[in-house]
């Protein structure tokens, strides 16, 4: 059996920072499930379907990526697809505490599924979906932050 990893997130929307982590992870693992976690406590701009469509479009040249969504525990999703790894990106020290918390929790839930961190490329260390949304909302230039397809989708959201 090949190595299967899950790369989970809200992806509201996917940014160049996420894409950096996914494409680098795809070089290490045989298959990566990029999964939109339908986390009801957040108030997303894009629907789960829209987020999946954006991810599909911008990862279409990475053959070992599968895009999916899930509502529930990440560990249950990982078990369903027989993944032995979770991939997360780390931007800065400020990410560490939160990531340590979810990683530790996931390890309590299933100690056989290992979490791997990929340090985000320096040029994206400040980048988040929230920042992109804010800049886009007020008409700022986000062409360096998200793929053109995502930029267009954001413009449509804020113009409608
Ligand atoms: O992109 P995000 O918002 O930082 O992703 C957070 C995410 C979706 C990975 C995290 O909230 C998650 O795993 N949610 C699923 C619920 C779950 O499994 N919780 C237990 C571990 S804390």
């Amino acid at each position: 059996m090949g190595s299967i990893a899950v790369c989970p997130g809200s992806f509201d929307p996917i940014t160049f920072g996420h894409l950096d982590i996914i494409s680098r992870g795809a070089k290490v693992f045989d298959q990566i499930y990029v999964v939109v976690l339908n986390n009801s406590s957040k108030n997303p701009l894009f629907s789960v379907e829209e987020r999946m469509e954006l991810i599909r479009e911008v990862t279409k040249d990475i053959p070992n990526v599968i895009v999916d969504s899930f509502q529930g525990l990440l560990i249950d999703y990982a078990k369903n697809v027989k993944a032995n790894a979770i991939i997360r990106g780390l931007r800065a020290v400020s990410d560490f505490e939160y990531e340590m918390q979810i990683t530790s929790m996931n390890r309590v839930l299933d100690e056989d599924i290992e979490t791997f961190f990929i340090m985000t490329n320096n040029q994206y260390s400040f980048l988040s979906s929230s920042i992109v949304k804010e800049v886009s909302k007020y008409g700022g230039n986000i062409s360096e932050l998200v793929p053109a397809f995502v930029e267009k989708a954001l413009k449509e959201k804020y113009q409608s």
Side-chain angles (χ1 to χ4, degrees):
M1 194 181 73
S3 56
I4 302 174
V6 176
C7 184
S10 306
F11 300 108
D12 186 41
I14 187 165
T15 68
F16 276 136
H18 294 125
L19 201 50
D20 172 45
I21 301 300
I22 295 166
S23 54
R24 287 161 60 202
K27 290 182 190 156
V28 177
F29 291 91
D30 294 326
Q31 192 150 63
I32 296 198
Y33 287 84
V34 177
V35 56
V36 177
L37 260 300
N38 192 358
N39 188 342
S40 54
S41 65
K42 288 190 181 177
N43 188 14
L45 177 66
F46 291 95
S47 70
V48 171
E49 270 311 317
E50 289 170 329
R51 283 181 266 165
M52 287 171 68
E53 193 201 332
L54 295 176
I55 301 170
R56 267 194 212 104
E57 174 63 27
V58 303
T59 60
K60 65 181 182 211
D61 294 331
I62 313 174
N64 51 340
V65 163
I66 294 171
V67 182
D68 201 358
S69 68
F70 188 68
Q71 187 159 27
L73 290 177
L74 171 61
I75 281 294
D76 289 333
Y77 179 85
K79 278 191 229 173
N80 285 348
V81 297
K82 299 193 173 12
N84 41 22
I86 294 167
I87 297 176
R88 293 284 289 169
L90 263 188
R91 289 168 298 193
V93 179
S94 48
D95 280 342
F96 184 81
E97 212 165 316
Y98 172 63
E99 294 299 333
M100 191 175 80
Q101 198 177 16
I102 60 173
T103 301
S104 305
M105 191 64 245
N106 285 332
R107 199 165 38 237
V108 168
L109 295 170
D110 189 330
E111 62 180 8
D112 292 330
I113 299 178
E114 201 61 65
T115 301
F116 292 86
F117 291 96
I118 297 179
M119 289 293 299
T120 305
N121 195 314
N122 283 350
Q123 77 190 103
Y124 303 128
S125 60
F126 67 95
L127 190 51
S128 70
S129 298
S130 313
I131 276 185
V132 167
K133 282 184 280 193
E134 175 142 335
V135 176
S136 174
K137 187 172 175 180
Y138 297 110
N141 180 5
I142 53 165
S143 59
E144 306 279 298
L145 314 180
V146 294
F149 191 77
V150 177
E151 185 182 2
K152 187 167 162 280
L154 275 162
K155 278 191 183 142
E156 282 167 11
K157 275 281 172 202
Y158 287 124
Q159 277 162 17
S160 60

